[in-house]
Amino acid sequence: MKENRVLEDGHGRRFYYLRLSVTDVCNFRCDYCLPDGYQASPKQPDLSVAEATTVMRAFAQLGTRKVRLTGGEPSLRKDLPQLIQAAKATPGIRRVALTSNGYKLPSAIDTWHHAGLDQLNISIDSLDPSEFAHITGHDCLPKILTGIDRALELGVQTKVNAVLLSDGAHDRLKQFLAWLKTTPVTLRFIELMQTGDNRDYFASNHLRGAEIEQLLIETGWQLLPRAIDAGPAREYVHPNYAGRIGLITPYSKDFCSSCNRLRISAQGKLHLCLFSDAGIDLRHAIRDGDANALAESVRTMIGNKEVSHYLQQGNTGGTENLSIIGG
């Protein structure tokens, strides 16, 4: 496959990374996202494996090197292994990643690894089992940690996502640091983001990542260079720890200047930003199966990408909750 010129927007940002949502359904009830659980609504069917393959082929032609399958909760799709295989088999895609809540991890990780999974991100907001159950609505933390151990045994690069919540943040940090002493994962603290459905929760629980970052710097953690197809985290290492720590701080100055990723929803809509007002419906073009034509459509649309998500101004766009297009 001949790779076209790398996709670039009007602000000089290049895009090497596709986040492809495969479902907006989630079985967790996290306080900050879906406190009342997933609410079904009329919609188009999720992208099929063939349609997802067309999307990935189109983006690979535009210079995409990394595909992350997201949700909702991707493991709720029975054909997730086939989606992983399709991503791995796409010429030009060098890394296949998956974001999951880990509920099915112990029973599924071997299958995902065999299908070609390179990188796994698991959401764990607390290492205290009772607090984890309170946040998510599921008392399954030990099972998830067992699944992470198995992923590491298989050689799957593993990261853990933890949303920063102000109440108890420093106690949770101590627990995570103790875990990272001997556990070779990357823990990524993510600032709580305001969405259409969580305004009051955000106002009560938002904690700036800069506070945690300063503590890390003061205790000897050192910043690593960022790869061009990496996510938005600033990643730190420490000689006395097996694991690493990353921080994703979307309210920080110039956060959007390093944006390198685009999103396709499970219904085939292109989201130029997590907090764009609405997705651009590409389902018609995707169904045609013409990756070349789809790639040209995306190249034309990238000119409409804004310079910022404007979160710092209270903008939440059309994002009611993060399960819609995978955060």
Side-chain angles (χ1 to χ4, degrees):
M1 179 193 69
K2 182 180 178 181
E3 184 179 292
N4 295 335
R5 179 172 52 87
V6 174
L7 192 61
E8 183 175 325
D9 71 3
H11 309 287
R13 297 172 296 196
R14 294 187 170 190
F15 298 87
Y16 300 92
Y17 178 10
L18 170 66
R19 297 180 63 98
L20 176 60
S21 178
V22 296
T23 181
D24 61 1
V25 181
C26 186
N27 57 329
F28 274 26
R29 302 188 298 275
C30 295
D31 290 345
Y32 50 81
C33 185
L34 294 173
D36 299 319
Y38 174 75
Q39 307 295 314
S41 59
K43 61 177 184 178
Q44 292 189 68
D46 294 336
L47 293 173
S48 67
V49 174
E51 290 171 332
T53 299
T54 297
V55 170
M56 292 184 286
R57 286 174 53 219
F59 274 83
Q61 291 181 29
L62 296 170
T64 293
R65 302 179 182 183
K66 175 180 176 182
V67 170
R68 176 175 300 282
L69 303 177
T70 71
E73 174 45 44
S75 68
L76 297 180
R77 283 193 60 155
K78 293 181 180 179
D79 58 0
L80 179 58
Q82 288 72 43
L83 287 162
I84 295 171
Q85 286 176 335
K88 191 67 174 179
T90 302
I93 301 302
R94 302 177 186 175
R95 192 154 27 140
V96 180
L98 174 71
T99 296
S100 171
N101 60 29
Y103 187 78
K104 294 187 176 183
L105 186 58
S107 62
I109 183 57
D110 282 76
T111 301
W112 298 344
H113 174 254
H114 182 73
L117 186 67
D118 299 303
Q119 181 183 312
L120 176 69
N121 284 36
I122 299 294
S123 299
I124 300 177
D125 297 313
S126 172
L127 286 174
D128 178 83
S130 61
E131 186 174 46
F132 178 91
H134 175 76
I135 293 172
T136 65
H138 285 271
D139 185 8
C140 60
L141 178 61
K143 180 176 74 171
I144 294 172
L145 293 176
T146 297
I148 288 176
D149 289 340
R150 178 57 180 161
L152 293 172
E153 287 176 7
L154 292 168
V156 178
Q157 182 186 7
T158 304
K159 299 184 179 183
V160 170
N161 296 337
V163 174
L164 279 176
L165 302 172
S166 57
D167 185 27
H170 291 279
D171 289 337
R172 285 190 290 276
L173 175 60
K174 289 178 182 178
Q175 291 177 329
F176 278 122
L177 285 172
W179 186 54
L180 292 175
K181 277 281 188 180
T182 57
T183 308
V185 301
T186 298
L187 170 68
R188 306 192 314 166
F189 286 118
I190 304 173
E191 275 190 25
L192 178 66
M193 289 175 275
Q194 182 176 316
T195 64
D197 285 350
N198 77 352
R199 292 177 186 271
D200 292 341
Y201 187 90
F202 173 83
S204 301
N205 290 278
H206 182 241
L207 173 67
R208 291 275 183 180
E211 182 177 330
I212 301 297
E213 191 163 18
Q214 186 59 38
L215 286 173
L216 296 176
I217 293 170
E218 290 172 356
T219 53
W221 290 82
Q222 298 181 338
L223 185 64
L224 287 171
R226 181 173 178 264
I228 61 172
D229 64 347
R234 295 188 301 280
E235 197 164 303
Y236 286 81
V237 294
H238 193 292
N240 298 332
Y241 289 80
R244 300 178 175 184
I245 295 180
L247 289 110
I248 298 177
T249 56
Y251 290 89
S252 60
K253 185 177 182 293
D254 296 329
F255 177 79
C256 295
S257 64
S258 61
C259 184
N260 63 354
R261 58 208 172 278
L262 296 171
R263 294 170 170 84
I264 295 284
S265 75
Q267 283 75 51
K269 291 184 178 181
L270 170 66
H271 289 260
L272 298 174
C273 176
L274 177 58
F275 292 93
S276 55
D277 288 332
I280 303 166
D281 195 349
L282 298 177
R283 192 66 178 256
H284 220 48
I286 293 170
R287 280 178 175 157
D288 287 344
D290 188 338
N292 295 329
L294 180 60
E296 288 310 306
S297 294
V298 173
R299 190 182 293 282
T300 300
M301 294 168 186
I302 195 66
N304 295 321
K305 185 170 172 63
E306 295 279 357
V307 69
S308 172
H309 50 36
Y310 302 112
L311 267 177
Q312 65 275 15
Q313 298 177 19
N315 173 63
T316 62
T319 304
E320 295 178 10
N321 59 70
L322 295 177
S323 72
I324 294 175
I325 49 173

